[in-house]
Amino acid sequence: MTPAEHLLAGFPGALRAAGLPVDPARAADFLRAVRIARLRDAADLARIGRATLTGSREEFPRFDTVFAAWFAGTPGVASAEPDEETEAPPRDRPGREGVMQVSAGAASGRAASPDEAAGLKAFRAAGEDERRILDGLRRAFAQLPEVRRRRWITAPSGRRIDLPATARAARRTFGETVVLLRQRREVRPRRMLLLVDVSGSMKAQSETTLRFAQALTRSRGQVETFTFGTRLTRVTPALRRRDGEAALARLAVAVSDFDGGTRIGEALETFLATLTHGGLARGALILVFSDGLERGDPAPMIAAVHRLARLGHRLVWVSPLAADPRYRPATRAMAGILPDLDALLPGDSLASLARLPARIAAIERQPRGEAWRAFREEAA
Amino acid sequence: MPAPLDQDAIATTLAEAGYFADEGLVTALYLALELGKPLLLEGMPGVGKTEVGNVLARVLGRDCMRLQCYEGIDATRALYDWDHVRQLLHVRVAERAGPVATAELYAPEFLIEMPLLKALRRAGTTVLLIDEIDRADDAFEAFLLEFLSDFQISIPEIGTVRADEPVVTILTSNRTRELHDALRRRCLYHWIDYPDPARERAIVESHAPGIAAEAAARLVDAVAAARRLPLVKRPGIAESVDWARGAMVLERQGAPWPDALRRSLGLLVKDPEDRALVERAELV
């Protein structure tokens, strides 16, 4: 093997070492591809590598780093940042300065920006009362709505006759139809999207809210959770842990902006701007856990909530402030979003969170945008 | 192996067919053809992922077999099904003449071929386009694995159907759902981005022939600027082509270009709030 061949042959291994899922079959494809494809410069090599060794756009940045490091010193590679204009993986909002980034919630050693509270969030273990409520949540979750899917599944009491299956069964009885096989539409839990404010003003509630989210994630499929403060973090994987305390411990590492500042509007905009996230909201039951105390101009928040409400099936705002019977959504931000909300419910304690599923079941049957009714006298 | 096209030939023939691919896509297509592997394309809506399959079929002189995925799609929609009703009728009719052999019931005439089986049996003359795979259930994804890695499918009544050469396969995904790693592993991968201004201009000029150079330049700049705005739905290539065509219609009726572009803006952005944003930004 020439040195160049050595260098090429070692590259897939270097990617693997950097954590990319490069299996031997892919490595072989890469080496075959290098032989047959046009190879004039490092940019060509990078293109071949990307096509054969990566499996999604998220892997591009890591691929590029390893590529630059591995082939450093090779003629022409120093300038081989793959084509700027089209090939570089764009963030979902290119060209906007100071845009909020979405973190995947991995436990990486990211440097926190100055306005994020330093240090890891310390969670206390759930108390006796909380445990009891958490254990009882499972029954409450059973009231949450379901959806019928397009898909038909076999079911003895289904209303549609499965003709192909019936015909197949009839073959066993010499073509005579003895049993009618039936099917019905598959029923699945409605997708839920939880957006949890973990900023300083929600300090007293973010922990119980996340415990609630963890219990929900464990007992039901199709639940996605994001936290936001100064950044947006997807925490669904952490919440899938069976043990509540372990899940929270992982969260403390993954979420770097606990008890810091808050930019609700920007967080929601970031959420909506990420292509895949729109799909998570579509047709989903969306719960936003936040006090809605937006600093600065509330217009972006109002616009983002409006959009979120139209994407989702129902949008429920859960605020600790709403626990007070005298509470009125009077701030500009809250007054602005009220027409888009299907409900504004209290979320000050685990006990009030435990009552949410029953309330939501009722909201499912109501027309949309009914939250303002509860505060009607005030408006008049 | 499919037609021995080199990368330049792929790029030129695609361009002749009206598809302007960047070098990354050309490389990926070339490797997909040469290595005999499926190609997974991802990208924003409206950047022409599906079109790759159609155009590739055209330049290779093959049929494009399209399998549109949707929730609940299963083997009987994708692969094959037996015409059960005809089988039963056949039994009833044939019984009068005497005993019926079961083998008769599995004759080819009762087999309904769906896109995957069709593609397997005509591997040399087909480009298989598995469109929007992210819309299918994950179970269907698993079902595709055997097909994608070995280009073969097992059918209980017939046995294993194997393609005599790799099927040229393009998969597209809009990423509404994360695809399984096992599927990604079996495919080459390419992310289609929005085109750079020069390529977008070439696309617009080829799909809206006769558009004035000044108008095309203006339009392409405006589209690029619109994509930088925080829009709910950022315009794809299809939208810019529609916009160009719409503006041309208005221009032919006597509207000057800037005016024609402004009036046909609804073809570019299709959401009232987006439209307000674009209008406020005064892109045209």
PDB file of all heavy atoms in Angstrom, chain A residues 57-71:
ATOM      1  N   ARG A  57     -27.571  14.646   7.599  1.00  0.00           N
ATOM      2  CA  ARG A  57     -26.932  15.946   7.557  1.00  0.00           C
ATOM      3  C   ARG A  57     -26.266  16.296   8.887  1.00  0.00           C
ATOM      4  O   ARG A  57     -25.293  17.024   8.935  1.00  0.00           O
ATOM      5  CB  ARG A  57     -27.978  17.010   7.218  1.00  0.00           C
ATOM      6  CG  ARG A  57     -27.390  18.374   6.996  1.00  0.00           C
ATOM      7  CD  ARG A  57     -28.434  19.322   6.521  1.00  0.00           C
ATOM      8  NE  ARG A  57     -29.425  19.550   7.566  1.00  0.00           N
ATOM      9  CZ  ARG A  57     -29.962  20.723   7.820  1.00  0.00           C
ATOM     10  NH1 ARG A  57     -29.629  21.756   7.116  1.00  0.00           N
ATOM     11  NH2 ARG A  57     -30.863  20.863   8.770  1.00  0.00           N
ATOM     12  N   GLU A  58     -26.816  15.765   9.974  1.00  0.00           N
ATOM     13  CA  GLU A  58     -26.266  16.068  11.293  1.00  0.00           C
ATOM     14  C   GLU A  58     -24.829  15.583  11.417  1.00  0.00           C
ATOM     15  O   GLU A  58     -24.074  16.045  12.249  1.00  0.00           O
ATOM     16  CB  GLU A  58     -27.114  15.422  12.399  1.00  0.00           C
ATOM     17  CG  GLU A  58     -28.372  16.187  12.758  1.00  0.00           C
ATOM     18  CD  GLU A  58     -29.364  16.222  11.613  1.00  0.00           C
ATOM     19  OE1 GLU A  58     -29.490  15.191  10.913  1.00  0.00           O
ATOM     20  OE2 GLU A  58     -29.979  17.272  11.392  1.00  0.00           O
ATOM     21  N   GLU A  59     -24.470  14.615  10.581  1.00  0.00           N
ATOM     22  CA  GLU A  59     -23.120  14.073  10.682  1.00  0.00           C
ATOM     23  C   GLU A  59     -22.099  14.908   9.910  1.00  0.00           C
ATOM     24  O   GLU A  59     -20.906  14.705  10.048  1.00  0.00           O
ATOM     25  CB  GLU A  59     -23.101  12.624  10.169  1.00  0.00           C
ATOM     26  CG  GLU A  59     -23.909  11.688  11.045  1.00  0.00           C
ATOM     27  CD  GLU A  59     -24.077  10.299  10.433  1.00  0.00           C
ATOM     28  OE1 GLU A  59     -23.455  10.016   9.399  1.00  0.00           O
ATOM     29  OE2 GLU A  59     -24.847   9.514  10.991  1.00  0.00           O
ATOM     30  N   PHE A  60     -22.580  15.844   9.091  1.00  0.00           N
ATOM     31  CA  PHE A  60     -21.650  16.616   8.254  1.00  0.00           C
ATOM     32  C   PHE A  60     -20.596  17.384   9.061  1.00  0.00           C
ATOM     33  O   PHE A  60     -19.413  17.310   8.730  1.00  0.00           O
ATOM     34  CB  PHE A  60     -22.408  17.577   7.333  1.00  0.00           C
ATOM     35  CG  PHE A  60     -23.126  16.888   6.193  1.00  0.00           C
ATOM     36  CD1 PHE A  60     -23.898  17.624   5.302  1.00  0.00           C
ATOM     37  CD2 PHE A  60     -23.016  15.517   6.004  1.00  0.00           C
ATOM     38  CE1 PHE A  60     -24.566  17.002   4.253  1.00  0.00           C
ATOM     39  CE2 PHE A  60     -23.680  14.890   4.960  1.00  0.00           C
ATOM     40  CZ  PHE A  60     -24.456  15.634   4.089  1.00  0.00           C
ATOM     41  N   PRO A  61     -21.002  18.148  10.092  1.00  0.00           N
ATOM     42  CA  PRO A  61     -19.963  18.932  10.780  1.00  0.00           C
ATOM     43  C   PRO A  61     -18.849  18.051  11.336  1.00  0.00           C
ATOM     44  O   PRO A  61     -17.673  18.369  11.188  1.00  0.00           O
ATOM     45  CB  PRO A  61     -20.740  19.618  11.909  1.00  0.00           C
ATOM     46  CG  PRO A  61     -22.151  19.615  11.480  1.00  0.00           C
ATOM     47  CD  PRO A  61     -22.334  18.405  10.633  1.00  0.00           C
ATOM     48  N   ARG A  62     -19.236  16.934  11.958  1.00  0.00           N
ATOM     49  CA  ARG A  62     -18.216  16.064  12.531  1.00  0.00           C
ATOM     50  C   ARG A  62     -17.364  15.452  11.418  1.00  0.00           C
ATOM     51  O   ARG A  62     -16.153  15.321  11.550  1.00  0.00           O
ATOM     52  CB  ARG A  62     -18.869  14.968  13.376  1.00  0.00           C
ATOM     53  CG  ARG A  62     -18.177  14.871  14.714  1.00  0.00           C
ATOM     54  CD  ARG A  62     -18.742  13.798  15.626  1.00  0.00           C
ATOM     55  NE  ARG A  62     -20.194  13.813  15.724  1.00  0.00           N
ATOM     56  CZ  ARG A  62     -20.877  12.816  16.276  1.00  0.00           C
ATOM     57  NH1 ARG A  62     -20.245  11.754  16.737  1.00  0.00           N
ATOM     58  NH2 ARG A  62     -22.189  12.872  16.351  1.00  0.00           N
ATOM     59  N   PHE A  63     -18.031  15.086  10.332  1.00  0.00           N
ATOM     60  CA  PHE A  63     -17.293  14.541   9.204  1.00  0.00           C
ATOM     61  C   PHE A  63     -16.252  15.552   8.717  1.00  0.00           C
ATOM     62  O   PHE A  63     -15.088  15.212   8.501  1.00  0.00           O
ATOM     63  CB  PHE A  63     -18.258  14.193   8.064  1.00  0.00           C
ATOM     64  CG  PHE A  63     -17.570  13.756   6.797  1.00  0.00           C
ATOM     65  CD1 PHE A  63     -17.255  12.424   6.596  1.00  0.00           C
ATOM     66  CD2 PHE A  63     -17.222  14.681   5.826  1.00  0.00           C
ATOM     67  CE1 PHE A  63     -16.603  12.026   5.437  1.00  0.00           C
ATOM     68  CE2 PHE A  63     -16.568  14.293   4.673  1.00  0.00           C
ATOM     69  CZ  PHE A  63     -16.264  12.953   4.482  1.00  0.00           C
ATOM     70  N   ASP A  64     -16.685  16.806   8.577  1.00  0.00           N
ATOM     71  CA  ASP A  64     -15.770  17.822   8.051  1.00  0.00           C
ATOM     72  C   ASP A  64     -14.576  18.035   8.974  1.00  0.00           C
ATOM     73  O   ASP A  64     -13.449  18.204   8.505  1.00  0.00           O
ATOM     74  CB  ASP A  64     -16.516  19.144   7.838  1.00  0.00           C
ATOM     75  CG  ASP A  64     -17.543  19.018   6.725  1.00  0.00           C
ATOM     76  OD1 ASP A  64     -17.442  18.064   5.941  1.00  0.00           O
ATOM     77  OD2 ASP A  64     -18.452  19.869   6.658  1.00  0.00           O
ATOM     78  N   THR A  65     -14.832  18.028  10.292  1.00  0.00           N
ATOM     79  CA  THR A  65     -13.733  18.215  11.242  1.00  0.00           C
ATOM     80  C   THR A  65     -12.708  17.099  11.107  1.00  0.00           C
ATOM     81  O   THR A  65     -11.504  17.339  11.002  1.00  0.00           O
ATOM     82  CB  THR A  65     -14.295  18.214  12.685  1.00  0.00           C
ATOM     83  OG1 THR A  65     -15.453  19.021  12.718  1.00  0.00           O
ATOM     84  CG2 THR A  65     -13.276  18.739  13.663  1.00  0.00           C
ATOM     85  N   VAL A  66     -13.230  15.846  11.121  1.00  0.00           N
ATOM     86  CA  VAL A  66     -12.316  14.714  11.032  1.00  0.00           C
ATOM     87  C   VAL A  66     -11.585  14.736   9.690  1.00  0.00           C
ATOM     88  O   VAL A  66     -10.389  14.483   9.618  1.00  0.00           O
ATOM     89  CB  VAL A  66     -13.082  13.386  11.214  1.00  0.00           C
ATOM     90  CG1 VAL A  66     -12.144  12.201  11.062  1.00  0.00           C
ATOM     91  CG2 VAL A  66     -13.747  13.355  12.575  1.00  0.00           C
ATOM     92  N   PHE A  67     -12.328  15.075   8.647  1.00  0.00           N
ATOM     93  CA  PHE A  67     -11.735  15.117   7.312  1.00  0.00           C
ATOM     94  C   PHE A  67     -10.559  16.094   7.282  1.00  0.00           C
ATOM     95  O   PHE A  67      -9.462  15.761   6.821  1.00  0.00           O
ATOM     96  CB  PHE A  67     -12.795  15.542   6.290  1.00  0.00           C
ATOM     97  CG  PHE A  67     -12.314  15.518   4.867  1.00  0.00           C
ATOM     98  CD1 PHE A  67     -12.411  14.359   4.114  1.00  0.00           C
ATOM     99  CD2 PHE A  67     -11.767  16.648   4.287  1.00  0.00           C
ATOM    100  CE1 PHE A  67     -11.969  14.333   2.802  1.00  0.00           C
ATOM    101  CE2 PHE A  67     -11.319  16.626   2.981  1.00  0.00           C
ATOM    102  CZ  PHE A  67     -11.423  15.469   2.233  1.00  0.00           C
ATOM    103  N   ALA A  68     -10.794  17.292   7.819  1.00  0.00           N
ATOM    104  CA  ALA A  68      -9.741  18.314   7.793  1.00  0.00           C
ATOM    105  C   ALA A  68      -8.543  17.855   8.607  1.00  0.00           C
ATOM    106  O   ALA A  68      -7.396  18.035   8.194  1.00  0.00           O
ATOM    107  CB  ALA A  68     -10.289  19.633   8.324  1.00  0.00           C
ATOM    108  N   ALA A  69      -8.817  17.234   9.756  1.00  0.00           N
ATOM    109  CA  ALA A  69      -7.711  16.818  10.619  1.00  0.00           C
ATOM    110  C   ALA A  69      -6.941  15.653  10.002  1.00  0.00           C
ATOM    111  O   ALA A  69      -5.717  15.622  10.011  1.00  0.00           O
ATOM    112  CB  ALA A  69      -8.249  16.434  11.994  1.00  0.00           C
ATOM    113  N   TRP A  70      -7.681  14.698   9.447  1.00  0.00           N
ATOM    114  CA  TRP A  70      -7.050  13.477   8.949  1.00  0.00           C
ATOM    115  C   TRP A  70      -6.189  13.753   7.723  1.00  0.00           C
ATOM    116  O   TRP A  70      -5.091  13.228   7.583  1.00  0.00           O
ATOM    117  CB  TRP A  70      -8.132  12.443   8.613  1.00  0.00           C
ATOM    118  CG  TRP A  70      -7.570  11.098   8.260  1.00  0.00           C
ATOM    119  CD1 TRP A  70      -7.450  10.542   7.025  1.00  0.00           C
ATOM    120  CD2 TRP A  70      -7.049  10.128   9.161  1.00  0.00           C
ATOM    121  NE1 TRP A  70      -6.893   9.311   7.098  1.00  0.00           N
ATOM    122  CE2 TRP A  70      -6.636   9.013   8.407  1.00  0.00           C
ATOM    123  CE3 TRP A  70      -6.894  10.103  10.561  1.00  0.00           C
ATOM    124  CZ2 TRP A  70      -6.071   7.880   8.976  1.00  0.00           C
ATOM    125  CZ3 TRP A  70      -6.342   8.969  11.133  1.00  0.00           C
ATOM    126  CH2 TRP A  70      -5.935   7.876  10.349  1.00  0.00           C
ATOM    127  N   PHE A  71      -6.699  14.569   6.843  1.00  0.00           N
ATOM    128  CA  PHE A  71      -5.970  14.819   5.610  1.00  0.00           C
ATOM    129  C   PHE A  71      -5.161  16.109   5.681  1.00  0.00           C
ATOM    130  O   PHE A  71      -4.701  16.616   4.665  1.00  0.00           O
ATOM    131  CB  PHE A  71      -6.921  14.844   4.411  1.00  0.00           C
ATOM    132  CG  PHE A  71      -7.559  13.513   4.150  1.00  0.00           C
ATOM    133  CD1 PHE A  71      -8.889  13.285   4.469  1.00  0.00           C
ATOM    134  CD2 PHE A  71      -6.815  12.469   3.614  1.00  0.00           C
ATOM    135  CE1 PHE A  71      -9.478  12.053   4.239  1.00  0.00           C
ATOM    136  CE2 PHE A  71      -7.399  11.236   3.391  1.00  0.00           C
ATOM    137  CZ  PHE A  71      -8.727  11.015   3.704  1.00  0.00           C
TER     138      PHE A  71
END
